[in-house]
Amino acid sequence: MSSTANGPAIEAAGLRKAFGDHVVLDGIDLQVPQGTIFSLLGPNGAGKTTTVHILSTLIGSDGGRVRVGGHDPATEPDGVRAAIGVTGQFSAVDGLLTGEENLLLMADLHHLGRRTGKQRAAGLLEQFDLVEAARKTAATYSGGMKRRLDLAMSLIGEPRIIFLDEPTTGLDPRSRRTMWQIIRDLVNRGVTIFLTTQYLDEADELANRIAVLDNGKIVAEGTPAELKGQIPGGHIALRFTDAHELAKAVRELGGQRDDEALTLQIPGDGGVKALRVLLDRLDAASIEVEELSVHTPDLDDVFLALTGTSKVPTS
């Protein structure tokens, strides 16, 4: 089966995998549109790495239907490999080679030919801001430079789909944001990104859609906003200048008060309509508010609620 212009980049239906008696994937369904960022989250042992290994042809599944770039990884592995790039958690960069040599090595592995390989390497060195370091050995690169080179190496064959396994682990905040922009630029050019990450804020920042995998099953899927909207705990916080105004607000609105901090929490999603109604009620009651802030659940809250785990572990 070949890919279609508007078909999904990655799709799986009823995907199953067990190691002995241990069921790792228990019939999961995935669909990743072309030119989007899809993030798979889950606690250690949930099956994230197994999923990526199946989709990238490293291991076979025990059941279900899978297509990556329009190809079946089991029967058309070469077609899948021609369509994908993989950047793992641990860098594939050879520290004894220069940045340019690392890229030329990958070009040789892709049988690009000497002239084409040099052109691709030069273009990627410029794209990833590595021109000045091109002739230096990769062992001298910073962590952020190594991750950029690693990603550049996965792009030498111009893949349509890229699997990124924790691409910013260990990077400083500036380097993380640089990688985020590179990922966005790739998607703007039509590349599809399948992302696993230990940083929930990274998934929130980048992903168009997120699936949460737990005990071998997809327990939730949606946009970051949709997932956060499923979790209770959103509220509007009001702070007052004195206890009298706080007391008036409690009589008018109810909510959870904090007399010491002179604050009042009103349950709500913080949407425009809810805020407008709240402000109208405060104005009608002549209640003076010093400060208003909106608090919504974040992906940490989602993850805790769905898996019982406060953060995604590093493995």
Side-chain angles (χ1 to χ4, degrees):
M1 174 181 172
S2 62
S3 61
T4 61
N6 298 316
I10 300 169
E11 55 183 329
L15 184 60
R16 299 181 59 85
K17 182 67 179 179
F19 296 101
D21 295 332
H22 178 52
V23 177
V24 180
L25 298 176
D26 193 9
I28 70 169
D29 299 332
L30 296 172
Q31 191 162 101
V32 182
Q34 296 181 42
T36 64
I37 302 176
F38 183 91
S39 183
L40 186 63
L41 303 179
N44 188 29
K48 303 187 305 297
T49 299
T50 299
T51 301
V52 171
H53 284 175
I54 292 172
L55 297 176
S56 60
T57 77
L58 292 177
I59 62 175
S61 67
D62 295 333
R65 178 181 179 275
V66 182
R67 293 290 185 275
V68 179
H71 301 280
D72 186 331
T75 60
E76 305 169 278
D78 289 343
V80 173
R81 291 167 191 155
I84 68 171
V86 181
T87 299
Q89 179 181 350
F90 302 103
S91 175
V93 171
D94 187 331
L96 298 178
L97 301 179
T98 67
E100 183 180 44
E101 288 169 343
N102 269 284
L103 289 167
L104 291 175
L105 175 61
M106 292 302 296
D108 287 342
L109 293 174
H110 281 272
H111 309 291
L112 293 186
R114 186 173 182 83
R115 181 176 180 180
T116 302
K118 282 192 171 183
Q119 289 175 340
R120 284 291 294 150
L124 287 165
L125 287 167
E126 182 174 359
Q127 179 183 345
F128 285 82
D129 195 22
L130 292 170
V131 173
E132 291 185 6
R135 303 295 176 87
K136 298 177 182 178
T137 58
T140 66
Y141 285 14
S142 67
M145 292 169 67
K146 286 180 181 177
R147 293 306 280 171
R148 296 205 306 275
L149 177 59
D150 197 21
L151 182 52
M153 289 166 62
S154 73
L155 294 174
I156 201 79
E158 299 186 306
R160 305 190 308 274
I161 301 164
I162 300 176
F163 293 93
L164 294 181
D165 184 12
E166 302 186 11
T168 64
T169 297
L171 298 187
D172 61 76
R174 183 183 297 274
S175 296
R176 285 183 71 204
R177 293 194 173 275
T178 298
M179 283 295 292
W180 289 357
Q181 190 55 52
I182 288 171
I183 292 168
R184 291 190 188 98
D185 290 342
L186 288 170
V187 174
N188 288 337
R189 298 209 306 270
V191 175
T192 303
I193 303 291
F194 191 102
L195 170 71
T196 67
T197 178
Q198 63 171 302
Y199 301 119
L200 296 175
D201 65 320
E202 184 162 86
D204 198 0
E205 182 77 23
L206 293 175
N208 300 104
R209 292 189 69 80
I210 295 171
V212 181
L213 184 64
D214 192 32
N215 291 319
K217 294 181 180 292
I218 300 292
V219 295
E221 183 178 348
T223 66
E226 288 170 347
L227 291 180
K228 289 181 283 190
Q230 296 175 16
I231 305 301
H235 64 271
I236 301 165
L238 305 174
R239 187 160 64 88
F240 302 90
T241 56
D242 58 57
H244 176 67
E245 293 297 319
L246 171 59
K248 284 170 59 179
V250 171
R251 289 193 298 270
E252 175 66 25
L253 304 171
Q256 181 178 344
R257 66 190 291 171
D258 183 331
D259 291 307
E260 184 175 346
L262 294 176
T263 59
L264 180 64
Q265 290 186 8
I266 310 298
D269 61 7
V272 173
K273 184 176 180 180
L275 282 173
R276 185 179 293 118
V277 170
L278 176 62
L279 292 173
D280 286 345
R281 292 181 65 184
L282 289 168
D283 187 55
S286 299
I287 298 172
E288 294 292 332
V289 178
E290 183 177 33
E291 184 179 297
L292 180 151
S293 57
V294 177
H295 298 260
T296 57
D298 57 22
L299 282 185
D300 289 277
D301 299 315
V302 173
F303 203 80
L304 177 61
L306 295 174
T307 70
T309 304
S310 60
K311 62 173 67 177
V312 181
T314 57
S315 58

